[in-house]
Amino acid sequence: QIRLVESGGGLVQAGDSLRLSCAASGRTDRMYAMAWFRQAPGKERELVASVRWSVGRTYYADSVKGRFTISRDSARKTMYLQMNNLKSEDTATYSCAVQGLGYDSYHIWGQGTQVTVSS
């Protein structure tokens, strides 16, 4: 089993930066991809960014391109989301997730961390 623990959320002002971390433990050798999702009140969950664990290929939602950077440290089994130039519309609960080898969707989730951006 794989377990995920997020950290790094908080309350910031528009234009500020935050870095989220997602530490994985357990059967991390079975990870195919990791991703950050977010969900704001009254809105559907949105895929923000993802990274293929072995090759590092990344994906970004249009809404965060040029502002957010996803990365991973294989040795530390940790994924990061560097968020710059934050906007009020980035306010949401951010969750990390894992797609395991042989799975076609993200099926393991962290507990989530709140990001609030005041304008």
Side-chain angles (χ1 to χ4, degrees):
Q1 186 60 283
I2 298 169
R3 293 170 296 279
L4 304 173
V5 177
E6 300 109 331
S7 61
L11 172 63
V12 297
Q13 293 187 334
D16 285 351
S17 298
L18 272 179
R19 189 177 79 156
L20 305 182
S21 300
C22 176
S25 61
R27 290 298 308 273
T28 56
D29 59 305
R30 302 296 298 170
M31 294 196 302
Y32 173 76
M34 292 186 76
W36 288 99
F37 288 80
R38 68 185 180 186
Q39 187 166 23
K43 294 188 176 181
E44 293 188 355
R45 186 168 60 197
E46 172 190 21
L47 173 60
V48 176
S50 66
V51 59
R52 284 268 303 274
W53 191 253
S54 61
V55 299
R57 185 177 301 166
T58 59
Y59 161 85
Y60 294 94
D62 288 342
S63 57
V64 305
K65 280 181 182 176
R67 300 188 298 122
F68 291 11
T69 302
I70 191 171
S71 62
R72 88 260 194 260
D73 184 331
S74 299
R76 296 180 183 273
K77 301 176 183 179
T78 300
M79 175 180 66
Y80 304 96
L81 186 68
Q82 177 66 42
M83 305 184 293
N84 298 329
N85 190 23
L86 283 160
K87 304 176 180 180
S88 58
E89 52 262 43
D90 295 318
T91 296
T93 299
Y94 286 71
S95 300
C96 64
V98 162
Q99 179 182 356
L101 291 169
Y103 289 82
D104 60 5
S105 63
Y106 292 94
H107 64 105
I108 297 173
W109 296 85
Q111 80 283 1
T113 186
Q114 179 66 34
V115 172
T116 303
V117 184
S118 63
S119 57

